[in-house]
Amino acid sequence: MARIKPQALLNQSKKKKGPSRISISTIVVCNLVVAVVVLSLVTTYRHWSQRSRNTLETQSQRFEDTNAVSQQKNYDLPGYADISTSKGLITVELFKDASPEAVDKFLDLCQKDHFKGMPFHRVIKNYLVQAGHSSSSIPIEEWTANGKLRGRLDTSPKHEAFMLGTPKNKGNNKDFELLITTAPIPDLNDQLIVFGRVLKGEDVVQEIEEVDTDEHFQPKSQIGIISIVLKREL
């Protein structure tokens, strides 16, 4: 057998153990691929982030526009009314923000002359005066019994004297009635919708309150609403 020289073995060993070289072009291509991937991820993130911000801004703008339209609508609606009665003039302020549904119905009925000629069919001294085209569905006994409890209950500003309201159980426009309190009546919280207050003409309300009534609290002489004029300003 032929013997291999030690120098030849050493050279063969160095050739086997030497690392393989990576070309420069391969390194450049790999770096370009990584750069493209990173750039793609950044671009995608920015796109969805901007889209999310745009969506939020659009929703916020729509909400602001809706509020602006609602506020403009309330601003355009009349906020006051002159109620001309057979005893004199009563000026009331309407609670457009606190009782929008009742105010809207009241304004609509005023434009249809619903209250023209409406009589005051119930007058309870130191309690209220009520105008309507039909008899009240609240029993007389309940009105008078609640009146006796009046001094024992806490009051809130909206149920003080000279507040304008309507009974809750009057669901349709035909039966919509007007009621002006002449004393605090917090015991009617569940039955009365307050949507305004008297600004001028408290003496007229008191004059209506002083008329003679029968045992059913109905005035013996005819007293009623002549007309209602709506106003945006006093």
Side-chain angles (χ1 to χ4, degrees):
M1 176 183 291
R3 297 180 62 184
I4 301 175
K5 296 182 179 181
Q7 185 64 34
L9 290 173
L10 182 60
N11 291 337
Q12 291 178 2
S13 177
K14 287 182 180 181
K15 289 181 181 180
K16 291 181 180 180
K17 291 181 180 181
S20 59
R21 294 182 179 180
I22 300 176
S23 65
I24 296 177
S25 60
T26 302
I27 296 175
V28 171
V29 170
C30 289
N31 288 337
L32 288 175
V33 171
V34 172
V36 169
V37 172
V38 171
L39 182 61
S40 176
L41 292 174
V42 171
T43 302
T44 303
Y45 171 79
R46 288 181 176 177
H47 169 74
W48 286 108
S49 178
Q50 183 64 34
R51 183 174 179 179
S52 178
R53 284 197 297 269
N54 291 340
T55 301
L56 291 176
E57 289 175 359
T58 301
Q59 292 176 348
S60 176
Q61 185 63 38
R62 287 178 181 174
F63 179 76
E64 291 176 359
D65 291 343
T66 302
N67 282 346
V69 171
S70 178
Q71 291 175 359
Q72 183 64 29
K73 180 182 177 181
N74 282 344
Y75 177 77
D76 291 338
L77 292 176
Y80 306 92
D82 283 340
I83 304 175
S84 179
T85 74
S86 51
K87 291 292 186 180
L89 186 65
I90 303 170
T91 300
V92 299
E93 177 188 6
L94 304 176
F95 299 156
K96 296 187 293 184
D97 295 328
S99 304
E101 293 183 2
V103 170
D104 285 346
K105 186 177 292 187
F106 172 77
L107 296 177
D108 180 62
L109 292 174
C110 284
Q111 295 174 351
K112 297 177 180 177
D113 290 333
H114 171 77
F115 303 104
K116 186 176 182 179
M118 177 180 284
F120 286 95
H121 64 81
R122 176 154 296 163
V123 175
I124 304 177
K125 191 173 182 179
N126 297 321
Y127 205 54
L128 56 82
V129 297
Q130 184 177 4
H133 290 300
S134 62
S135 59
S136 175
S137 59
I138 303 177
I140 293 292
E141 296 77 9
E142 189 168 344
W143 286 102
T144 54
N146 285 338
K148 294 178 182 179
L149 295 173
R150 187 173 61 237
R152 307 177 195 173
L153 299 172
D154 294 332
T155 61
S156 63
K158 74 173 186 175
H159 290 102
E160 290 293 338
F162 302 110
M163 291 294 167
L164 177 69
T166 186
K168 286 184 178 180
N169 54 356
K170 297 294 182 180
N172 54 61
N173 292 345
K174 182 180 179 181
D175 294 332
F176 192 93
E177 298 183 348
L178 294 183
L179 184 151
I180 300 176
T181 64
T182 59
I185 51 173
D187 40 289
L188 292 181
N189 282 350
D190 295 334
Q191 299 174 342
L192 181 64
I193 300 175
V194 173
F195 65 92
R197 66 187 178 102
V198 176
L199 295 180
K200 300 177 183 178
E202 293 93 338
D203 57 329
V204 176
V205 177
Q206 291 172 336
E207 190 172 347
I208 297 173
E209 182 187 28
E210 293 295 332
V211 300
D212 292 333
T213 60
D214 59 19
E215 65 274 14
H216 300 294
F217 301 97
Q218 295 178 349
K220 294 181 179 180
S221 58
Q222 184 73 16
I223 305 173
I225 297 173
I226 299 173
S227 64
I228 297 181
V229 177
L230 301 174
K231 301 190 302 183
R232 287 186 172 83
E233 298 178 354
L234 286 177

